[in-house]
Amino acid sequence: MAKRMIIMLVLVGLLFGLVFGFLAFRAHMIKKFLASRKEPPAAVTALTAKFELWQPHVSAVGSLRAVHGVDVTSEIAGLVRSLHFKSGDRAREGQLLVQLNADSDIALLHSLQAEAALASTTYERDKAQYDAQAISKATLDAAEADYKSKQAQVAQQAAVVAKKAIRAPFSGRLGISTVNLGQYLNPGDKIVTLQSLDPIYADFYVPQQQVAHIAIGQKVVVTTDAFPGASFDGKITAMNPVVETDTRNLLVEATIANKKHELLPGMYASVKVEAGTKQRFITLPQTAITYNPYGDTVFIIQKTGQGANGKPLLIAKQSFVTVGNTRGDQVAVLDGIVEGDLVVTSGQMNLKNGSQVIINNQVQPSNEAAPMPVDQ
């Protein structure tokens, strides 16, 4: 019985040995197969890192305002007799725009002028008689006072007549007329808007932290969505001497050339102020940077020999970088790469350190310093 028991235990041991040996052999072969099986290269876009000149600037949002802009109104009441402009015309300084009915005022002016002429004659006659000692000095003084009073009345009435002719206070473009022939105007009633368009002001605010970068005479560039792709140059001409306590912002005024009268008062505008001298930075698209809590990284493509097809094998090596300011789609890299490095700009989500890659730049991420929206 003992011999049989020993034989049975030996057979059972051999059976278990064969099972465990098979399992170990199978695991070894699977591991070997997986080790020999390589991942296909990941398709990425890439860009050679290079230096670019960066112009530091202060960005702000503002609105446009006419250098001279006013709603032309009537100073006195009257009936509109004639209109001497059309909506949208360009007016010259002093040009007659509206003539109010002034018949009664002119008649009164003529009456006062006649009285003034009579007072002048009386004064001259009394002066001759006074020289001949025929009248007293009091009589002469009364005649002189009456003459001057009549002159003042003539000047006053002439001013009233002049106000019945409403003229352009400065040169500019007229808006849409709001009056008609025969309409009765009260003092202050709007007739038409008049705007001087060249040059034009751009008013914008900058935070107090950036006040040190703003100065009179600095160049500014204005853009507006009314004219995509167009920019308008100007310079800072005025700054408020006080920072607003509610927002801690400073109001700045820039004068913009507007020869074609494209910019109009009230438009929204984006303003960039060139602040300081140009600087050189290695520049990459922002899509090339992987932002992580433990540090920002990029993948740098390196050559590791030749493949079976004779083409160089490319692998991606991860590198930590220090990034600086951004402008548009671009970011300045201060440390971590050097000029000439081939950097992955998209597709890095599928990469790990040492991954094999192929470069396909048929569709590349945007890399514009000043991107503009594109209508689809």
Side-chain angles (χ1 to χ4, degrees):
M1 290 294 295
K3 184 176 181 180
R4 290 179 180 177
M5 183 64 70
I6 293 172
I7 293 173
M8 183 181 67
L9 292 174
V10 170
L11 291 175
V12 171
L14 289 173
L15 179 62
F16 276 104
L18 289 173
V19 171
F20 285 114
F22 173 75
L23 294 176
F25 175 75
R26 187 179 69 172
H28 172 72
M29 294 304 294
I30 291 175
K31 183 177 180 181
K32 184 176 179 181
F33 172 76
L34 293 177
S36 63
R37 184 179 180 183
K38 296 183 179 180
E39 295 182 0
V44 298
T45 62
L47 181 72
T48 301
K50 61 181 181 179
F51 282 99
E52 290 189 12
L53 288 177
W54 282 46
Q55 172 64 62
H57 62 264
V58 175
S59 298
V61 173
S63 60
L64 303 180
R65 174 173 57 89
V67 173
H68 301 293
V70 69
D71 289 336
V72 180
T73 61
S74 174
E75 188 175 351
I76 60 177
L79 197 69
V80 177
R81 166 168 282 185
S82 60
L83 296 175
H84 298 269
F85 72 95
K86 293 181 180 179
S87 298
D89 281 352
R90 177 161 182 82
R92 302 181 306 277
E93 181 178 356
Q95 176 182 332
L96 179 63
L97 301 178
V98 176
Q99 178 63 59
L100 301 180
N101 184 13
D103 292 344
S104 60
D105 299 288
I106 294 174
L108 180 57
L109 175 61
H110 292 164
S111 175
L112 293 175
Q113 287 174 337
E115 292 179 8
L118 176 60
S120 174
T121 302
T122 302
Y123 172 63
E124 293 297 331
R125 183 172 58 247
D126 288 352
K127 188 163 59 173
Q129 291 179 347
Y130 176 77
D131 292 339
Q133 298 182 351
I135 61 174
S136 65
K137 184 68 166 62
T139 302
L140 177 63
D141 291 342
E144 181 181 7
D146 181 63
Y147 170 56
K148 291 182 178 180
S149 175
K150 292 296 191 297
Q151 281 186 317
Q153 293 177 23
V154 169
Q156 181 183 20
Q157 189 60 27
V160 172
V161 172
K163 291 177 181 179
K164 291 296 182 77
I166 302 172
R167 301 180 181 275
F170 51 84
S171 298
R173 183 189 295 178
L174 295 168
I176 297 175
S177 173
T178 60
V179 298
N180 296 289
L181 289 174
Q183 180 177 343
Y184 185 82
L185 293 181
N186 291 307
D189 285 351
K190 178 181 176 181
I191 298 173
V192 66
T193 186
L194 177 62
Q195 304 289 325
S196 175
L197 300 181
D198 184 27
I200 195 169
Y201 287 146
D203 295 330
F204 58 96
Y205 287 91
V206 296
Q208 68 176 21
Q209 297 91 334
Q210 297 179 332
V211 170
H213 304 296
I214 302 296
I216 301 295
Q218 279 181 313
K219 181 182 178 182
V220 302
V221 178
V222 169
T223 57
T224 176
D225 54 7
F227 301 98
S231 61
F232 305 86
D233 297 333
K235 63 179 181 179
I236 294 176
T237 51
M239 300 167 57
N240 259 0
V242 60
V243 173
E244 297 188 2
T245 56
D246 294 338
T247 60
R248 305 301 176 186
N249 290 336
L250 178 71
L251 178 60
V252 182
E253 175 191 275
T255 303
I256 312 299
N258 189 29
K259 294 182 178 179
K260 296 182 179 180
H261 295 178
E262 295 174 314
L263 300 177
L264 300 177
M267 276 187 173
Y268 163 93
S270 297
V271 182
K272 286 186 178 181
V273 183
E274 294 186 358
T277 58
K278 293 184 178 180
Q279 299 175 331
R280 294 177 74 245
F281 292 114
I282 291 180
T283 302
L284 292 176
Q286 293 194 49
T287 56
I289 310 298
T290 302
Y291 298 94
N292 299 296
Y294 53 82
D296 304 327
T297 62
V298 298
F299 281 96
I300 300 175
I301 298 177
Q302 298 177 348
K303 297 179 181 180
T304 60
Q306 289 186 341
N309 56 4
K311 295 183 179 181
L313 293 176
L314 304 177
I315 61 170
K317 292 291 186 180
Q318 195 173 35
S319 175
F320 286 92
V321 294
T322 302
V323 298
N325 295 328
T326 62
R327 62 171 188 180
D329 300 321
Q330 300 177 338
V331 59
V333 180
L334 308 180
D335 189 29
I337 61 174
V338 297
E339 186 178 17
D341 282 346
L342 189 60
V343 181
V344 175
T345 56
S346 67
Q348 61 266 54
M349 296 297 294
N350 300 322
L351 301 181
K352 59 184 179 181
N353 198 27
S355 295
Q356 186 177 346
V357 297
I358 57 174
I359 299 175
N360 184 355
N361 285 336
Q362 291 183 354
V363 179
Q364 297 194 44
S366 180
N367 187 29
E368 298 293 332
M372 297 294 294
V374 178
D375 295 333
Q376 298 294 337

